[in-house]
Amino acid sequence: MSRVTLPHDAKAGPTKPEVRAVTLEKLDLRPTDHFVDVGSCTGSVSIEAAQRVKRVTAVERKAKRLEVARKNLAANEYDADVALHEAEAPAGLPDDADAMFIGGSRNFEAVLDHAVESEIDRVVMNVSRVEPTGAAIEAFRERDLLDEVVQMQVSHGYELAGATSFKSNNPVYIIVGRRDAGGLN
Amino acid sequence: MSRVTLPHDAKAGPTKPEVRAVTLEKLDLRPTDHFVDVGSCTGSVSIEAAQRVKRVTAVERKAKRLEVARKNLAANEYDADVALHEAEAPAGLPDDADAMFIGGSRNFEAVLDHAVESEIDRVVMNVSRVEPTGAAIEAFRERDLLDEVVQMQVSHGYELAGATSFKSNNPVYIIVGRRDAGGLN
Amino acid sequence: MSRVTLPHDAKAGPTKPEVRAVTLEKLDLRPTDHFVDVGSCTGSVSIEAAQRVKRVTAVERKAKRLEVARKNLAANEYDADVALHEAEAPAGLPDDADAMFIGGSRNFEAVLDHAVESEIDRVVMNVSRVEPTGAAIEAFRERDLLDEVVQMQVSHGYELAGATSFKSNNPVYIIVGRRDAGGLN
Amino acid sequence: MSRVTLPHDAKAGPTKPEVRAVTLEKLDLRPTDHFVDVGSCTGSVSIEAAQRVKRVTAVERKAKRLEVARKNLAANEYDADVALHEAEAPAGLPDDADAMFIGGSRNFEAVLDHAVESEIDRVVMNVSRVEPTGAAIEAFRERDLLDEVVQMQVSHGYELAGATSFKSNNPVYIIVGRRDAGGLN
């Protein structure tokens, strides 16, 4: 497994490496998994998943972003079978996925409904805006998916006058769902 | 690759899963790597590394902790060749490691000297106390190892009166070194 | 002006000193103000306000907490005229307040309606749970009150093995409203 | 007491309002205090102190910044007697101050020595870079001044696609000293 390379950028920017690392840890991917990336954007999560699972489906409503993901995938090594769908989820979502990542809050209730109906085992959603975070946690809870919520804040050091100052990314919420989860402790 | 199981605990506690995920991302492990875990404690980082690399050496000065690591390793699946050394680093460190994790600040200058002398490619150190963090960053800088410093703060949601409140872990510094690094940007 | 003393505690605990300091800065209190504290709990915000304004009304639905606030007020010096009302807001709220603090999310929409109807100039609400935070921001926005939202995270140092480790409070949202505010930038 | 106005800016920027609010809370200013602001920059802390104490001395090594502070002071109301000294502290520090704010890490050991020698009651230092933070905490500890260390992280909401996203300031350390303090708990 080598680190992810993202030579091509989309306007919205990729999930930051540290948030992506925690997201993947929470997705708990297994070699036999079919993983679905909802709103795949630059493809950064799809790429890393493709290095860990058997099959990846990336769904993205914007043709341009899908093209960026395609190019970024081509720049990385992986063994998985990867399909890219230009569609606005829940359209284009497979019915046999084991794990799902939702990178944005668009249509998230319908996407979660699909996750429940297709009996997905694990689903992780990242949100940074606070109103949809609250709404998303409630949607996970109502669907018996809610397993964990993590707020993560990352700051990067830079050199200032010979010592280390920090520039902080915005805080991100990582909502972790599992089928028949018992809710937060 | 399956998630890490840690049935056995040591008093100091393992590196938290989210910090461990970012730490491993920064270690950028490759299948051919010899990885060395300095102050391996519960073995949580060694286990996850053992699922990604060819060879792992864990060095731990406390016999009890080493026994905990041994048991935790036994509870997980991995293909790597793993050696456990009861020693106070830099004693017990191999001369041919590619990547090193330093989980505490004990003897860190001598450990970093060994990393430089043995031409280790990547070294990541986690510190939470602020005085040794400053000293460690300076030690990385002086040895031309300093590549990145990340401060990471993680909060976990819990249910309070029907909604989600958070309990925050302490902030952790992750110092990332590479051989002949150019310093922070 | 002397520091606030809180010899008496209520189960819910006072607003933490650092959050209270920022809350008061955002309330922008003036010597001629009538300040209303909604859900006054231990009275910590009322006390500090009483050291800055002419008149304070504290509204609290729980008799026990009101008694705690009364005792805490008695332990501090201030010149303001302070009234304590046992009532569940919006009941008990005055019609001529200039600035309002809302310490919890109970009935917050009705409380904000009262703030708008009585033409309150400044209103600050603290929330820590994420679902009501989202709902509260929307309620401020809908009433043309939304001026600023701050998330604040405070960690306190403690000595660990001769150096300074940190224990973090949970993140708190401070929602700042002003009459006829233009929304967030 | 009215809010601080800062029509004039210095390159280094003022202490942010939220950090300033907590800093002032920690300084625990009293109406009879002589307050000294070391490295007063835009004068923001001096102004707010001047609204609370009897006497303020601001010491600043850069003439331009001192001029900015002078103009900002003139734009605010306060009753204190304020003196501005162009000097590099510890030069220019008074011998009878009750409370001291140190806004940067330049010469901080000599400044703290002066604080101890002149028996200052309270001293608060803000640092954002991690190496000087560690060194400053140690300097407070060695001089029996160390009472509290707070790390504070503030994020500001902005509107993004109809909801609230956040932009985070860098984390700041606030080191709180008192004469004959017992150290951190």
Side-chain angles (χ1 to χ4, degrees), chain C:
Chain C
M1 184 175 313
S2 60
R3 222 172 193 177
V4 170
T5 301
L6 296 171
H8 302 277
D9 196 14
K11 208 185 158 189
T15 301
K16 297 279 195 303
E18 295 84 10
V19 173
R20 200 167 66 224
V22 173
T23 297
L24 281 152
E25 201 270 339
K26 300 300 180 190
L27 279 167
D28 191 14
L29 297 177
R30 294 145 198 197
T32 56
D33 275 348
H34 179 189
F35 168 73
V36 56
D37 188 357
V38 183
S40 54
C41 202
T42 58
S44 66
V45 175
S46 285
I47 292 165
E48 206 155 334
Q51 294 170 340
R52 305 186 185 198
V53 303
K54 199 176 64 182
R55 201 174 148 204
V56 171
T57 301
V59 179
E60 170 60 56
R61 70 191 171 94
K62 298 210 170 172
K64 236 178 192 168
R65 289 183 188 162
L66 205 65
E67 191 48 34
V68 167
R70 192 185 311 277
K71 287 182 189 165
N72 281 330
L73 275 154
N76 288 274
E77 283 175 44
Y78 57 86
D79 291 324
D81 181 18
V82 178
L84 303 175
H85 293 178
E86 186 185 331
E88 181 166 335
L93 295 180
D95 290 327
D96 61 349
D98 301 289
M100 172 187 275
F101 173 63
I102 308 172
S105 56
R106 178 174 285 261
N107 299 345
F108 71 88
E109 299 202 321
V111 170
L112 289 178
D113 284 338
H114 183 95
V116 171
E117 282 156 25
S118 61
E119 300 191 325
I120 280 181
D121 193 51
R122 288 147 274 144
V123 51
V124 175
M125 177 173 172
N126 288 2
V127 209
S128 58
R129 295 176 306 153
V130 69
E131 296 91 334
T133 299
I137 294 172
E138 281 174 358
F140 273 69
R141 187 183 282 121
E142 284 164 15
R143 287 161 182 80
D144 294 325
L145 289 170
L146 190 62
D147 190 46
E148 198 180 356
V149 183
V150 169
Q151 183 186 299
M152 181 172 166
Q153 170 119 43
V154 171
S155 302
H156 289 276
Y158 65 96
E159 193 167 322
L160 179 66
T164 308
S165 193
F166 288 84
K167 210 173 147 71
S168 300
N169 294 342
N170 62 326
V172 174
Y173 289 95
I174 301 173
I175 308 173
V176 183
R178 293 191 166 259
R179 188 146 54 103
D180 304 323
L184 302 180
N185 293 323

Side-chain angles (χ1 to χ4, degrees), chain D residues 88-172:
Chain D
E88 182 166 335
L93 295 180
D95 289 326
D96 62 349
D98 301 289
M100 172 187 274
F101 173 63
I102 308 173
S105 55
R106 176 174 287 262
N107 299 346
F108 70 89
E109 299 202 321
V111 169
L112 288 178
D113 284 338
H114 183 96
V116 171
E117 282 156 24
S118 61
E119 300 191 325
I120 280 182
D121 192 51
R122 289 147 274 145
V123 50
V124 175
M125 177 172 172
N126 289 2
V127 208
S128 56
R129 295 177 303 153
V130 70
E131 296 91 335
T133 298
I137 294 173
E138 282 175 357
F140 273 68
R141 186 182 285 119
E142 284 164 14
R143 286 161 183 79
D144 293 326
L145 289 169
L146 190 62
D147 190 45
E148 197 181 356
V149 183
V150 169
Q151 182 184 299
M152 181 172 166
Q153 169 119 42
V154 171
S155 302
H156 289 276
Y158 65 95
E159 194 169 321
L160 178 67
T164 308
S165 194
F166 288 84
K167 210 173 147 71
S168 300
N169 294 344
N170 62 326
V172 174

Side-chain angles (χ1 to χ4, degrees), chain B residues 130-131 133-134 137-138 141 151 173, chain D residues 130-131 133-134 137-138 141 151 173:
Chain B
V130 69
E131 296 91 335
T133 299
I137 294 173
E138 281 174 357
R141 187 182 283 120
Q151 182 185 300
Y173 290 94
Chain D
V130 70
E131 296 91 335
T133 298
I137 294 173
E138 282 175 357
R141 186 182 285 119
Q151 182 184 299
Y173 290 94

